[in-house]
Amino acid sequence: MIDLHTAATANGYKVSIMLEEIGYAYRVVDYALAQFENLKPEFLAVNPVGRIPAIVDHDGPEGRSLGVYGTAPVLTYLAEKSGKFLPQDLRGRTRVFEWLAIVASDIGPAYSGQFTFNVVAPEKLPWAIQFYDKLCERMLATVERQLAQSEYLAGDEYTIADIITYPLAVVSVRRYPGNLDRHPHIARWASLVGQRPAVQRGMKVPS
Ligand SMILES: N[C@@H](CCC(=O)N[C@@H](CS)C(=O)NCC(=O)O)C(=O)O
């Protein structure tokens, strides 16, 4: 059994999609981030960073439970454990790891900054808003160029690179730039990925 510590956010959906894809049994612990439930000692004991998504695998390696935090590490762990959605060859694996890192450390922070300055900030600072809007545009252009060249993000196969990126196309993009009209390759790919039943189920967790 796996405990999934999550919330209804783009990052949370990445892990629920993966758990649905591999068909593992899991229990959902849903945190109200706006009420800072993620900063309570019970959750800090699971993940000292105090952010979602995190899992605790009660059937971890060597029969001991294992906690893992963060979209890229959790998806990698579950792909390794299940033997699914991660190529075996070094070139294929490296491409997937590269996309995991791009999404977690380039695209994620760009959209987080965009949200902070457009939505959360009590004072709207035009320079900061423009900076993050432009950064998001650049990141989307990178994904668009890649999907113009291959069916899935890291090549011909559906992998955890697609799982980590899908919520960007259907959640984050809705906030900025609003739609995929200027990104037809992302739209084509999002429609393909969005037809997978496990993706549809994962996008409804937490319900
Ligand atoms: N690098 C992390 C980012 C996780 C993240 O940004 N989590 C947000 C929700 S989407 C969070 O828990 N925010 C609450 C907080 O920081 O207090 C990942 O890739 O999973």
Side-chain angles (χ1 to χ4, degrees), residues 9 11 33 38-39 50-53 69-72 104:
T9 72
N11 281 326
L33 301 181
N38 51 308
L39 299 181
R51 296 185 129 186
I52 64 90
Y69 159 64
T71 50

Side-chain angles (χ1 to χ4, degrees), residues 136-151:
C136 289
E137 292 281 357
R138 267 179 60 195
M139 296 299 134
L140 283 180
T142 308
V143 179
E144 177 70 5
R145 271 195 301 274
Q146 179 58 34
L147 288 169
Q149 291 168 33
S150 58
E151 183 159 26

Side-chain angles (χ1 to χ4, degrees), residues 26-66:
Y26 66 101
R27 284 187 291 243
V28 176
V29 189
D30 180 9
Y31 292 84
L33 301 181
Q35 271 82 61
F36 306 108
E37 280 180 9
N38 51 308
L39 299 181
K40 289 188 175 166
E42 302 88 281
F43 183 55
L44 293 177
V46 172
N47 172 22
V49 182
R51 296 185 129 186
I52 64 90
I55 61 164
V56 177
D57 181 1
H58 295 284
D59 308 306
E62 296 96 35
R64 288 185 287 121
S65 82
L66 176 69

Side-chain angles (χ1 to χ4, degrees), residues 136-185:
C136 289
E137 292 281 357
R138 267 179 60 195
M139 296 299 134
L140 283 180
T142 308
V143 179
E144 177 70 5
R145 271 195 301 274
Q146 179 58 34
L147 288 169
Q149 291 168 33
S150 58
E151 183 159 26
Y152 291 103
L153 214 41
D156 299 336
E157 270 177 65
Y158 175 71
T159 68
I160 49 174
D162 300 290
I163 295 176
I164 202 171
T165 312
Y166 178 74
L168 165 77
V170 291
V171 178
S172 316
V173 157
R174 218 183 292 148
R175 192 177 71 243
Y176 185 83
N179 58 54
L180 287 170
D181 290 355
R182 286 185 294 110
H183 302 89
H185 296 287

